[in-house]
């Protein structure tokens, strides 16, 4: 199963590069995703979503007659016949992941691509063909689809992650005015789509008034609430299963139209119904990341000490969907200053939900901020590395709390050393390799570290097998594997004897996968469940009349190699297998639960994960084409739980950051509120050819203020900063500073032409 053979000691299983325990299931096709056929049960009918063709307005007339008469069609749901649901977005204060996600209610069109009908048929082809026969007439109204940099915007209620929209200290304007060197620049980032490999998809079935949803979803507990809220039924009547997920990138934190539509149709037909959003649906029926306009102001003294740091962000916000990205979150923690000003504003627009997409905030706030830092270093005539090191804060610049740990500077130094930063071309456009202009760039990566609530159950059976149960999910990140390692090490058994059951809302509740908190949060709950289980086993071992260890002191027992050993009061040694003790507990063995929530250490200490990103690239002066040559990321995220999955997360993050820096851009037709490049041919992502030598280094340092395991969030860390390193390297190579992401060749070319 893995490189870990049973001879090895299980102490130290946590951290090892254990292969994915779910790998064999996945490569043999036995891992069943949301809408893959399961053995037994009625064959599901198939739903196809009919999308609104306008961005804002009303349905004047809808006629499903021809579609209903088409071959194989079982049902066409529209707002005229769909069951009544709790109005969309209610209750207002419930938070976006538990509010009603009602569909097909009334004739209002909130956004382009909104579901106006669901055609359900025996086969996908029949549903799709019939969907083309649904006639819809609209009364279009003019909508507002984009935020413009000139907008003032509104102050959002809060920021994703819980931060304050406005945070600062000192008299920013006065300090900035007094600075000897200053900068005031605007940067923009583009609309982005998560578009995970597996689309949003649900198979719904009803039985005795209970709804079962096989759904691709990151957080089951809130999803269950949202479905119950939408349909007006008790949450106890909803069960969501999501054991395997083909990626989500945040777009599956909450439930979407596929889930509610499938549930409605299945109830109507009294038969399972599946609804899979196709690739083009995802651009509207799943959430996306809104574009941003950012103003960054910096002031420093002549020695390169930062005095003032200002970061203003403006983004669109979907009407009736409260969400604001914490664009300046890393800015609040990166460098020391006397005065800080960070503000977030939103402009309500007629768009589908704008929501968390990987590294919400930092993915678009660190490329811009780290580019501004580079521009400032250049103005000061300082090495950008030295400029960053010189401004390391002793305490959190925004909040004033001490850091739980502050490894950014260690990452920067280690990275510079490994990358050969001292060999960089100091002057922009001063190095060539053939026709290519060569440049180096670097940036810091900073991302808040979170701990959420979770509970877990661990059970040891009389057969010696450990079963761990929690409603955690595995997006493909490695949850199954990391949790296996935590249970194995804590219980002193081999990983082969541990089974982890995830993705079922009937299991003990966690906060699921999101915000890079998944492994640490669920892992800590499971760790505590395993500790509780050990205590319970020790108690049974010492107290049970049939136990070979009867009469021993529980605290003095030792656990090794799956065996408990101790001494009785008379000094004689005794031992027994864990399985034998578990068998004494009853036919199901012994089980225990554990839980975790953020405590005082998350109040008292500013907690972040850190990294340093280094990039070498070439720019073709004739075409503006950018080719990455080398990327190095050096990261510090506390204790590493699995060296392989952690590295994969960081690597994936860096590639994601490359996408944001150079490729990703959903283009909107601003007259109609419609994204135009609605597929992965036109919406560009980095592919293998775009990703060069990519090296990941992890500096390990357990941080027990973060959680009992000593780990910190890692999932989104690799994304942070790399866009800044790329922008800085483009400038170093070509002398062109592009402040509008993604940095596409047309923008570079324009800069090159202006320079000449
Ligand atoms: Mo993440 S955007 O919290 O899945």
């Amino acid at each position: 199963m893995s490189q870990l053979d049973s001879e090895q000691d299980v102490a130290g299983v946590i951290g090892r590069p254990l292969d994915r325990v779910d790998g064999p299931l996945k490569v043999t096709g036995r891992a069943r995703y949301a809408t893959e056929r399961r053995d037994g049960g009625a064959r599901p009918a198939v739903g196809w979503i009919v999308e609104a063709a306008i961005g804002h307005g009303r349905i004047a007339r809808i006629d499903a007659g021809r579609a209903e008469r088409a071959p194989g069609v079982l049902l066409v749901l529209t707002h005229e016949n769909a069951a009544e649901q709790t109005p969309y977005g209610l209750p207002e204060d419930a938070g976006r992941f538990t509010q009603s996600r009602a569909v097909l209610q009334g004739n209002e069109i909130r956004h382009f691509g909104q579901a106006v009908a669901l055609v359900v048929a025996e086969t996908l082809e029949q549903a799709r063909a019939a969907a083309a026969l649904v006639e819809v007439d609209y009364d279009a109204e003019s909508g507002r689809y984009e935020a413009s940099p000139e907008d003032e915007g509104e102050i959002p209620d809060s920021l994703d992650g819980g931060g304050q929209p406005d945070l600062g200290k000192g008299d920013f304007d006065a300090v900035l005015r007094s600075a000897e060197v200053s900068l005031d620049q605007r940067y923009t980032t583009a609309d982005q789509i998560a578009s995970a490999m597996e689309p949003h998809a649900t198979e719904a079935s009803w039985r005795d008034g209970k709804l079962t949803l096989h759904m691709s979803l990151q957080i089951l507990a809130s999803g269950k609430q949202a479905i119950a809220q939408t349909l007006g039924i008790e949450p106890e009547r909803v069960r969501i299963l999501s054991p395997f997920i083909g990626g989500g990138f945040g777009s599956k934190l909450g439930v979407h139209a596929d889930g509610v539509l499938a549930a409605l149709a299945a109830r109507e037909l009294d038969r399972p119904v599946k609804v899979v959003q196709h690739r083009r649906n995802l651009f509207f029926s799943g959430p996306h990341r809104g574009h941003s306009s950012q103003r960054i102001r910096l002031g420093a003294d002549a020695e390169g000490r930062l005095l003032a740091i200002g970061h203003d962000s403006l983004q669109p916000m979907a009407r009736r969907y409260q969400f604001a990205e914490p664009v300046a979150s890393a800015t609040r923690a990166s460098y020391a200053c006397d005065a800080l000003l960070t503000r977030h504003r939103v402009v309500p627009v007629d768009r589908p939900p704008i929501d968390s997409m990987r590294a919400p905030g930092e993915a678009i706030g660190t490329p811009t901020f780290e580019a501004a830092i580079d521009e400032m270093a250049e103005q000061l005539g300082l090495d950008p590395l030295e400029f960053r090191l010189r401004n390391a804060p002793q305490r959190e610049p925004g909040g004033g709390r001490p850091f739980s740990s502050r490894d950014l500077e260690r990452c920067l130094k280690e990275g510079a050393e490994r990358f050969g930063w001292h060999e960089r071309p100091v002057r922009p456009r001063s190095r060539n390799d053939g026709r290519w202009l060569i440049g180096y760039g670097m940036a810091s990566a900073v991302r808040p570290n979170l701990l959420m609530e979770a509970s877990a159950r661990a059970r040891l059976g009389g057969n010696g097998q450990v079963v761990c149960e929690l409603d955690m999910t595995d997006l493909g990140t490695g949850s199954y594997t990391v949790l296996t390692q935590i249970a194995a090490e804590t219980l002193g058994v081999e990983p082969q004897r541990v089974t982890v059951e995830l993705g079922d809302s009937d299991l003990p509740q966690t906060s699921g996968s999101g915000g890079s908190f998944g492994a640490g949060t669920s892992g800590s709950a499971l760790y505590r469940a395993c500790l509780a289980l050990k205590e319970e086993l020790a108690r049974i071992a010492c107290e049970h009349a049939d136990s070979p260890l009867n009469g021993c002191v529980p605290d003095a027992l030792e656990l090794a190699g799956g065996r408990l050993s101790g001494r009785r009061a008379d000094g004689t040694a005794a031992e027994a297998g864990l399985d034998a003790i578990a068998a004494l507990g009853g036919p199901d063995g012994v089980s225990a639960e554990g839980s975790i929530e953020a405590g005082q250490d998350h109040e008292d200490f500013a907690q972040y994960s850190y990294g340093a990103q280094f990039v070498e690239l070439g720019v073709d002066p004739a075409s503006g084409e950018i080719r990455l040559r080398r990327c190095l990321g050096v990261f510090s995220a506390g204790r590493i739980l699995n060296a392989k999955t952690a590295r994969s997360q960081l690597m994936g993050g860096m590639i994601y950051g490359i996408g944001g820096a150079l490729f990703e851009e959903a283009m909107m037709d601003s007259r109609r509120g419609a994204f135009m490049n609605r597929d992965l041919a036109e919406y560009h992502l980095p592919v293998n050819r775009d990703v060069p030598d990519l090296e990941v280094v992890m500096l390990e340092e357990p941080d027990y203020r973060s959680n009992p395991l000593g780990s910190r969030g890692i999932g989104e860390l690799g994304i942070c900063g790399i866009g800044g390193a790329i922008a800085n390297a483009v400038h170093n190579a070509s002398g062109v500073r592009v402040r509008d992401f993604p940095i596409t060749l047309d923008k570079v070319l324009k800069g090159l032409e202006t320079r000449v």
Side-chain angles (χ1 to χ4, degrees):
M1 171 178 102
S2 70
Q3 59 275 71
L4 187 99
D5 66 54
S6 55
E7 309 298 288
Q8 280 180 285
D9 191 356
V10 292
V13 173
I14 296 177
R16 279 194 206 153
L18 196 70
D19 286 342
R20 282 162 194 271
V21 297
D22 50 334
L25 285 179
K26 287 188 171 169
V27 296
T28 56
R30 283 176 294 153
R32 296 300 171 99
Y33 289 77
T35 52
E36 293 191 317
R37 279 305 307 278
R38 284 158 195 84
D39 298 331
R43 193 171 59 79
V46 184
W48 186 271
I49 295 171
V50 180
E51 297 183 328
I54 62 167
H56 187 56
R58 309 204 160 263
I59 299 170
R61 183 188 72 98
I62 189 160
D63 186 349
R66 283 175 65 212
E68 282 165 345
R69 292 187 295 275
V73 170
L74 303 164
L75 172 73
V76 181
L77 280 178
T78 69
H79 72 280
E80 291 179 345
N81 62 352
E84 194 182 330
Q85 301 144 59
T86 305
Y88 180 89
L90 293 185
E92 255 174 53
D93 58 357
R96 65 192 197 277
F97 298 136
T98 53
Q99 287 167 331
S100 169
R101 292 290 156 241
V103 294
L104 308 177
Q105 303 287 284
N107 61 358
E108 184 195 354
I109 300 298
R110 284 193 313 278
H111 62 81
F112 192 96
Q114 178 183 321
V116 295
L118 182 77
V119 178
V120 188
E122 290 291 349
T123 70
L124 177 73
E125 292 75 12
Q126 288 169 335
R128 183 178 186 174
L133 304 177
V134 177
E135 294 166 21
V136 194
D137 295 336
Y138 300 96
D139 288 333
E141 292 160 28
S142 66
R144 171 88 203 256
Y145 305 114
E146 290 180 290
S148 107
E150 286 75 48
D151 286 322
E152 256 187 45
E154 302 172 0
I155 304 180
D157 291 353
S158 69
L159 296 181
D160 187 39
Q164 292 299 314
D166 289 20
L167 182 78
K169 67 167 180 180
D171 187 340
F172 180 79
D173 289 328
V175 174
L176 185 64
R177 263 197 313 275
S178 74
E180 286 161 273
V181 182
S182 64
L183 167 148
D184 183 350
Q185 286 294 358
R186 276 194 184 278
Y187 302 82
T188 64
T189 65
D191 289 313
Q192 297 178 349
I193 308 290
S195 210
M197 191 65 96
E198 180 202 23
H200 301 264
T202 304
E203 180 179 322
S205 54
W206 291 83
R207 196 174 183 160
D208 304 327
K210 269 201 79 168
L211 171 64
T212 301
L213 298 166
H214 293 271
M215 181 188 276
S216 190
L217 188 67
Q218 294 176 225
I219 309 176
L220 302 195
S222 51
K224 179 169 135 170
Q225 296 285 339
I227 292 286
Q229 185 67 253
T230 305
L231 301 179
I233 60 176
E234 301 83 49
E236 295 71 43
R237 288 169 58 194
V238 180
R239 183 180 182 194
I240 301 181
L241 294 150
S242 187
F244 298 103
I245 305 174
F249 309 118
S251 74
K252 295 172 182 170
L253 290 165
V255 302
H256 299 290
D258 52 286
V260 182
L261 288 167
L264 291 172
R267 189 166 62 186
E268 214 56 48
L269 290 172
D270 194 20
R271 174 177 166 181
V273 171
K274 67 177 177 181
V275 177
V276 180
Q277 294 194 21
H278 53 70
R279 186 60 56 189
R280 292 169 71 79
N281 281 148
L282 296 186
F283 283 70
F284 295 102
S285 289
H288 67 281
R289 188 198 310 274
H291 52 277
S292 75
S293 167
Q294 303 174 38
R295 181 186 187 190
I296 298 177
R297 288 177 288 173
L298 300 171
D301 65 19
E303 282 72 54
R305 196 171 68 86
L306 275 167
L307 304 172
I309 296 176
H311 194 164
D312 292 310
S313 156
L314 182 85
Q315 286 195 279
M317 183 179 84
R319 264 187 243 282
R320 287 152 61 191
Y321 197 90
Q322 274 287 336
F323 172 81
E325 250 190 285
V327 174
S329 84
T331 305
R332 292 171 173 177
S334 294
Y335 307 110
C337 57
D338 297 338
L340 179 75
L341 181 68
T342 55
R343 296 180 295 196
H344 298 80
R345 297 292 179 270
V346 291
V347 177
V349 292
D350 301 295
R351 280 191 179 211
I354 294 170
D355 206 330
S356 291
M357 195 168 127
R358 279 202 93 189
E362 302 79 30
I364 57 172
T366 58
T368 53
F369 181 61
E370 289 293 320
I373 289 290
D374 196 75
E375 294 194 48
M376 193 66 177
E378 193 186 18
Q379 281 192 48
L380 287 157
L382 277 177
D383 176 348
L385 172 73
E386 173 58 26
F387 182 46
R388 287 173 172 86
L389 291 172
R390 212 171 270 193
N391 286 287
Q394 296 305 309
R395 298 171 89 82
E396 187 186 32
R401 296 176 298 178
F403 292 103
S404 68
S405 148
R406 172 85 191 177
D407 300 329
L408 175 58
E409 289 69 31
R410 199 157 66 100
C411 295
L412 290 168
K413 287 178 194 162
E414 173 86 21
E417 183 66 35
R418 285 174 179 261
F419 195 75
W421 179 250
H422 59 283
E423 289 162 16
R424 78 189 195 285
V426 174
R427 268 185 314 109
R429 202 169 179 168
S430 63
R431 186 173 297 173
N432 290 68
D433 178 3
R435 69 189 163 100
W436 292 94
L437 308 172
I438 306 301
Y440 283 30
M442 51 90 52
S444 303
V446 176
R447 159 102 191 146
N449 175 54
L450 305 172
L451 181 64
M452 309 297 280
E453 285 180 37
S455 55
R457 184 163 54 231
R459 182 167 58 82
L460 179 66
N463 56 3
Q465 296 295 310
V466 177
V467 179
C468 306
E469 296 174 312
L470 49 170
D471 81 355
M472 176 61 178
T473 51
D474 190 330
L475 280 162
T477 46
S479 310
Y480 281 105
T481 312
V482 167
L483 293 169
T484 297
Q485 290 170 274
I486 291 167
E489 179 169 319
T490 311
L491 292 170
V493 302
E494 295 146 16
Q496 292 88 333
R497 285 169 63 183
V498 176
T499 305
V500 173
E501 303 280 356
L502 304 178
D504 180 346
S505 65
D506 281 356
L507 298 177
Q509 191 171 317
T510 70
S511 294
S513 295
S516 303
F517 55 67
T521 299
S522 288
S524 296
L526 181 60
Y527 170 69
R528 288 191 169 166
C530 291
L531 289 182
L533 176 59
K534 245 165 53 170
E535 269 184 41
E536 181 60 11
L537 288 165
R539 194 189 60 74
I540 293 170
C542 297
E543 290 177 6
H544 199 287
D546 299 335
S547 165
L549 290 148
N550 181 285
C552 294
V553 184
D555 290 350
L557 291 186
E558 287 195 11
L559 174 64
R563 297 188 73 78
L564 279 170
S565 55
R567 277 185 196 285
R568 300 194 190 86
D570 63 5
T572 52
E575 65 159 28
L578 270 184
D579 45 351
I581 302 300
L584 297 174
D588 291 335
V590 179
S591 75
E593 301 212 356
S595 64
I596 190 82
E597 60 183 345
Q600 202 60 36
D601 281 345
H602 281 264
E603 296 278 323
D604 295 346
F605 293 92
Q607 301 207 10
Y608 295 89
S609 291
Y610 302 96
Q613 309 268 16
F614 292 83
V615 169
E616 179 188 336
L617 54 73
V619 174
D620 182 337
S623 66
E625 180 184 351
I626 299 167
R627 281 283 160 198
L628 297 176
R629 298 189 155 205
R630 286 194 292 148
C631 296
L632 166 71
V634 176
F635 301 99
S636 167
R639 182 180 181 201
I640 300 303
L641 300 174
N642 177 317
K644 183 181 282 182
T645 56
R647 182 170 175 276
S648 295
Q649 284 291 290
L650 290 165
M651 197 189 298
M654 288 170 73
I655 296 168
Y656 209 85
I658 292 170
L662 297 176
F663 303 101
E664 293 196 46
E665 184 173 19
M667 297 189 181
M668 176 155 279
D669 177 344
S670 56
R671 298 161 306 176
R672 284 152 44 96
F675 289 122
M676 297 177 286
N677 48 342
R678 293 176 66 182
D679 55 53
L680 296 182
E682 300 290 324
Y683 181 88
H684 293 169
L685 295 166
V687 297
N688 272 335
R689 284 263 298 157
D690 299 312
V691 181
D693 254 6
L694 192 146
E695 196 187 344
V696 171
V697 175
M698 292 174 276
L699 305 179
E700 247 195 287
E701 185 181 275
D703 182 353
Y704 293 102
R705 291 191 180 110
S706 166
N707 63 47
L709 298 167
S711 67
R712 288 202 302 262
I714 207 166
E716 292 154 305
L717 179 60
I719 300 166
C720 302
I722 186 164
I726 291 171
N728 300 341
V730 168
H731 175 256
N732 183 246
S734 64
V736 177
R737 178 60 73 175
V738 178
R739 299 188 183 88
D740 299 309
F741 292 89
I743 305 172
T744 45
L745 75 186
D746 52 312
K747 297 171 191 169
V748 177
L749 201 55
K750 204 164 130 199
L752 285 166
E753 283 163 1
T754 321
R755 268 177 59 92
V756 176

